[in-house]
Amino acid sequence: MKKKTCPKSITENSKRLSCKRKRILPALVLLLLGISMASSGCAWRKEAAPITRSGFYFDTVIQITLYDSRQESLIDDCFAMAKEYEQLLSRTVPDSDISRINRSGGAPVTVSDDTIKVIEAGLAYCELSKGAFDITLGAVIDLWDVKNNPGVLPDRKELARALDTVGYEAVSIEGNEVTLTTPGAQIDLGAISKGWIADRMKEYLNSQGVTEGILNLGGNVLVLGPKSDGSAYTVGIQKPFAEDGSLLLSVDISDGTVVTSGIYQRYFELDGTIYHHIFDPDTGYPYQNGLLSVTILCPDSVDGDGLSTTCFALGLTEGLALIESLPDTEAVFITTDYEIVKSSGFPA
Ligand code: AMP
Ligand code: MG
């Protein structure tokens, strides 16, 4: 892989890569199916099947698979973490830190250290993308309600009012206090929180001695590796909109994350146009930029999550240039013509 220089804002989170739902549910199931272990020569592994369980948190299917532990309680602990973070970070949980900030009317709100860290991670991508990624799109996201939308475009005046509340510069952090300086601004961390939580789960499992496994948080795949027998994890990248679950390609990684942002993950269709869930903060409409999906390979899932949405928002040319400027980070872009465009160091 060629040498690259990393912008300061995300350097901290980009350290090591050792190799590199008309609806959400079908897509998730397909992605889960797309993940498979590469064959292993380890005798123990042949005898002991991995333990795997699924749960549903923050509107997302989470699947946890452990290869070198038989302790189901560790998976319970990870699900408990998911619930805890949901209680802090979800906009739909009334007493979450984020809900309290969003209804504060501009008053400072004291929140947990974890919430501060996730907001700060989000803000780093707002800056890196010069606002194409924006964690204050909550009012616009609510108005579209893509998940439940039967095919109705939002009223233009209402959309204009919602857009007036968007702008990440309104988020001010002082210690553990968060203040939203624009009236009506609404924080939404949907583009970054799953990745951040996946990293926390990995840390926890590592601390418990687990070093081989796969975490899949709604398409944020994070592997615990490298495996002791040296073999890689094979992670499938779904063909957008494919109802039969077919994969467009797969990547072998021994450590790190594979995160996809795609319009097929959540959308509705009206008069031949797909209205999906990644919005342009300038227009309040979903980005229509010739892309179906972007998949990022990098060490940490918070960066994979931040970058996949950021690169989708930036589009192919700018997004690819950003990836080429980052160390230990690769990407594959899938265009509306199903052309596959890979960054220069993408694993063959
Ligand atoms: P992801 O699946 O990680 O790409 O995140 C998509 C989610 O991020 C959406 O469902 C919204 O909750 C939120 N979102 C939508 N548009 C943007 C944007 N331009 N910047 C940041 N977050 C966004
Ligand atoms: Mg994301």
Side-chain angles (χ1 to χ4, degrees):
M1 201 185 309
K2 66 183 184 180
K3 285 247 181 237
K4 302 166 181 176
T5 320
C6 183
K8 271 193 185 137
S9 51
I10 66 164
T11 319
E12 281 177 12
N13 290 321
S14 300
K15 288 172 201 137
R16 56 181 203 288
L17 178 71
S18 44
C19 56
K20 294 217 207 208
R21 180 171 354 164
K22 162 168 198 183
R23 300 295 177 218
I24 194 162
L25 273 176
L28 291 176
V29 171
L30 297 176
L31 189 75
L32 293 175
L33 287 172
I35 298 171
S36 63
M37 281 287 290
S39 65
S40 156
C42 169
W44 177 84
R45 192 179 308 283
K46 279 180 186 154
E47 288 154 17
I51 54 171
T52 187
R53 297 230 319 264
S54 300
F56 195 74
Y57 300 89
F58 36 83
D59 217 13
T60 296
V61 177
I62 296 183
Q63 187 179 59
I64 298 175
T65 305
L66 307 183
Y67 292 96
D68 63 342
S69 169
R70 313 298 306 157
Q71 267 186 277
E72 299 254 351
S73 64
L74 293 177
I75 299 184
D76 291 332
D77 293 345
C78 287
F79 287 156
M81 288 171 78
K83 183 151 187 140
E84 222 171 277
Y85 290 130
E86 183 177 27
Q87 298 299 317
L88 289 181
L89 304 173
S90 169
R91 259 183 345 118
T92 57
V93 171
D95 286 327
S96 72
D97 279 355
I98 298 305
S99 295
R100 290 191 300 111
I101 296 169
N102 286 348
R103 57 165 189 268
S104 65
V109 177
T110 302
V111 297
S112 68
D113 290 351
D114 286 329
T115 302
I116 295 288
K117 284 179 192 157
V118 186
I119 294 175
E120 283 178 342
L123 287 172
Y125 285 97
C126 296
E127 277 162 24
L128 184 67
S129 68
K130 301 190 176 68
F133 179 105
D134 195 307
I135 60 167
T136 61
L137 273 161
V140 168
I141 292 164
D142 278 346
L143 199 55
W144 281 87
D145 191 13
V146 170
K147 183 183 165 194
N148 303 308
N149 193 314
V152 184
L153 299 183
D155 176 81
R156 283 196 175 265
K157 282 189 185 147
E158 279 187 75
L159 188 55
R161 275 199 293 273
L163 263 181
D164 282 345
T165 70
V166 176
Y168 70 91
E169 296 86 353
V171 183
S172 148
I173 300 177
E174 199 73 51
N176 276 50
E177 278 187 350
V178 181
T179 310
L180 290 178
T181 57
T182 301
Q186 301 283 293
I187 293 181
D188 178 287
L189 297 172
I192 192 129
S193 53
K194 291 201 289 278
W196 188 85
I197 294 167
D199 289 334
R200 301 291 77 72
M201 288 179 177
K202 179 175 178 175
E203 261 171 21
Y204 170 72
L205 290 168
N206 283 161
S207 78
Q208 298 302 304
V210 181
T211 56
E212 298 180 43
I214 300 178
L215 307 173
N216 186 336
L217 279 67
N220 275 248
V221 176
L222 179 62
V223 307
L224 282 68
K227 289 196 276 175
S228 53
D229 67 358
S231 63
Y233 300 86
T234 302
V235 181
I237 297 173
Q238 194 194 328
K239 182 176 181 182
F241 300 110
E243 289 183 358
D244 62 355
S246 52
L247 302 176
L248 211 50
L249 63 157
S250 60
V251 283
D252 287 347
I253 57 170
S254 57
D255 198 2
T257 197
V258 181
V259 184
T260 298
S261 286
I263 70 172
Y264 60 93
Q265 292 171 332
R266 194 165 284 187
Y267 71 100
F268 67 89
E269 200 169 344
L270 181 67
D271 299 331
T273 300
I274 286 180
Y275 295 92
H276 60 85
H277 67 140
I278 304 176
F279 297 98
D280 182 343
D282 284 337
T283 65
Y285 273 72
Y287 282 108
Q288 306 289 356
N289 58 10
L291 288 178
L292 295 180
S293 71
V294 179
T295 299
I296 305 291
L297 276 62
C298 65
D300 294 328
S301 214
V302 65
D303 294 319
D305 203 354
L307 282 171
S308 64
T309 314
T310 291
C311 286
F312 190 96
L314 292 175
L316 178 57
T317 306
E318 262 193 82
L320 195 55
L322 172 61
I323 294 303
E324 298 293 4
S325 75
L326 299 176
D328 292 339
T329 305
E330 301 299 337
V332 58
F333 295 69
I334 300 171
T335 71
T336 44
D337 300 328
Y338 286 87
E339 190 191 347
I340 298 172
V341 183
K342 297 174 177 173
S343 60
S344 58
F346 197 86

